[in-house]
Amino acid sequence: MIPAGFEYHRPADLASAIGLLQDHGDEARVVAGGHSLIPMMKLRMTDLGHLVDLQDIGELRGIAIGAGHVTIGAMTSQHDLIADDRLAAVLPIIREASLQIADPQVRYMGTIGGNVANGDPGNDMPGLMQCLNASYDLAGPDGTRQVAARGFYQAAYFTAREDDEILTRIVIPVPAAGTGHAYVKQKRKIGDYATAAAAVLVGTTSASVAMTNLSDTPVWSEAAGKALAAGDTEGCVAAILAAIDPQEDMRGPVEFKRHVAAVVLRRAIDSALARRT
Amino acid sequence: MSKMHITLTVNGTAVEGLAEPRTLLIHFLRETLRITGPHIGCETSHCGACTIDMNGKSVKSCTVFVGQAQGAEITTVEGLVNADGSLGVIQENFREHHGLQCGFCTPGMITRAHRFLQENPAPTEAEVRFGMAGNLCRCTGYQNIVKAILASAAQLNAAKEAAE
């Protein structure tokens, strides 16, 4: 319950925040909503000397809907994602998934940037962002670079982000009109990370499929998407089952997780196909 | 670690105190400000017993450092009484509908219900259950909490209509 001591910083702009990360190296961490980091600090599983609070950096907030892309500031909360009707009109899968994340209080604070940058395979947004083929803007001392969500996750808590970089924005291509979507999550109770969850997009000539918490990273499978685009649901399921590597834990043994993965994926495919127009 | 000078507005009153950066908002409220309605039921941010209203949001104050709350407007269950000190509508309905037993989750429940009913003034039962899902209760089985919140919604809406 009691975190170790640290120094608190609340920079007003991105350059200052990056400067603090440069000054303090791996002693420093940014805090966004704080709803993964603070729990880890309370259990003394994370040790840091400097906490850099991003809440005053206005450019990290907001949802911009463009013709071909939606850009979401990293500090945009799950609550704000759910509440935004314009976002729900172009990317309804984000509201559907966000409502399955955590609980109301956590959603007021937890941010999309923290969710995708955290690196915990239990988080739901990473698989969804891979399904959507989103990319992340990473701002560092030498400027900003863009990394595809599909290339961002290396292992549990290891991502392509460098220690002195801040994930600032998420850029998501808007799916073609009529694309069916679904985010289906099996969990033990409200607020639990998934036993298995599936993000599915299916259009007339293309499809994309990713799954959550069935490996030490989210799993996006090109083969699964191709199979589904060709109308081959069982081929899609087989491709995902070949790509995942679940571990036994309190949510069940490996065999059960593989079973649940297939069930959840079939449900997501059925739902996405039913919504395709 | 040097202490920070923290200023907040709690239940309409400006308050201040000194705190280490690692101080959680719940501890600052309870131990420095002696506002002991919000409780601590876990160390993993699940139970919601520490729920307060911060800048118009329901927040688990065990998962916020004081520095993050600097300057915030906070309402706790103590601030939800009527101006004359009598029970507020939601508080009265928790009593009327037996929505509490040990009372440990109650301050968080009522503070969360306060925000929930502002966002969704006429909820269904399912919406109440989902909207209250960040608050655990070990005593009631939730049924009477749901009744209390639905009754509060009806009463608040009737009062609003009467005023218009």
Side-chain angles (χ1 to χ4, degrees), chain A residues 220-274:
Chain A
W220 175 78
S221 162
E222 186 173 11
K226 278 188 175 159
L228 183 57
D232 177 8
T233 296
E234 287 315 304
C236 174
V237 172
I240 281 287
L241 290 178
I244 62 174
D245 180 26
Q247 301 296 310
E248 177 167 345
D249 60 18
M250 290 184 302
R251 295 184 182 89
V254 172
E255 193 183 359
F256 174 70
K257 290 191 174 185
R258 297 183 68 81
H259 172 75
V260 176
V263 170
V264 163
L265 179 54
R266 286 193 191 97
R267 287 180 186 170
I269 290 169
D270 287 348
S271 176
L273 285 170

Side-chain angles (χ1 to χ4, degrees), chain A residues 1-8 10 31-35 38-39 41-44 51 53 55 79 99 103-109 189-190, chain B residues 1 4 21-22 24 26-27 40 42-43 45-46 51 54 57-60 62-65 67-70 112 115 119 130-131 133-135:
Chain A
M1 184 73 188
I2 308 298
F6 58 85
E7 280 188 46
Y8 174 81
R10 203 200 272 200
V31 62
H35 277 55
I38 297 173
M41 291 171 72
K42 287 162 66 174
L43 297 171
R44 305 273 177 128
L51 195 63
D53 186 349
Q55 71 168 296
H79 179 82
L99 284 167
D103 62 50
Q105 288 95 320
V106 176
R107 290 193 292 265
Y108 282 108
M109 295 295 284
K189 59 183 172 56
I190 283 281
Chain B
M1 298 293 154
M4 302 170 69
R22 67 171 175 161
L24 296 164
I26 183 66
H27 289 133
I40 299 170
C42 75
E43 57 176 10
S45 309
H46 287 106
T51 299
M54 182 168 91
K57 302 167 181 175
S58 295
V59 170
K60 294 180 177 179
C62 77
T63 314
V64 179
F65 288 120
Q68 294 175 286
Q70 181 72 274
R112 170 59 194 146
R115 177 56 44 195
E119 293 188 347
F130 190 71
N135 294 75

Side-chain angles (χ1 to χ4, degrees), chain A residues 100 102 185-193, chain B residues 46 136:
Chain A
Q100 297 177 66
K185 176 175 175 178
Q186 174 64 43
K187 57 183 193 278
R188 297 172 301 177
K189 59 183 172 56
I190 283 281
D192 194 22
Y193 282 152
Chain B
H46 287 106
L136 299 182

Side-chain angles (χ1 to χ4, degrees), chain B residues 47-87:
Chain B
C47 79
C50 64
T51 299
I52 53 140
D53 202 78
M54 182 168 91
N55 298 329
K57 302 167 181 175
S58 295
V59 170
K60 294 180 177 179
S61 59
C62 77
T63 314
V64 179
F65 288 120
V66 277
Q68 294 175 286
Q70 181 72 274
E73 295 254 355
I74 287 170
T75 303
T76 69
V77 71
E78 289 88 345
L80 294 174
V81 292
N82 295 324
D84 65 0
S86 62
L87 295 182

Side-chain angles (χ1 to χ4, degrees), chain A residues 98 164 241:
Chain A
S98 295
D164 56 4
L241 290 178

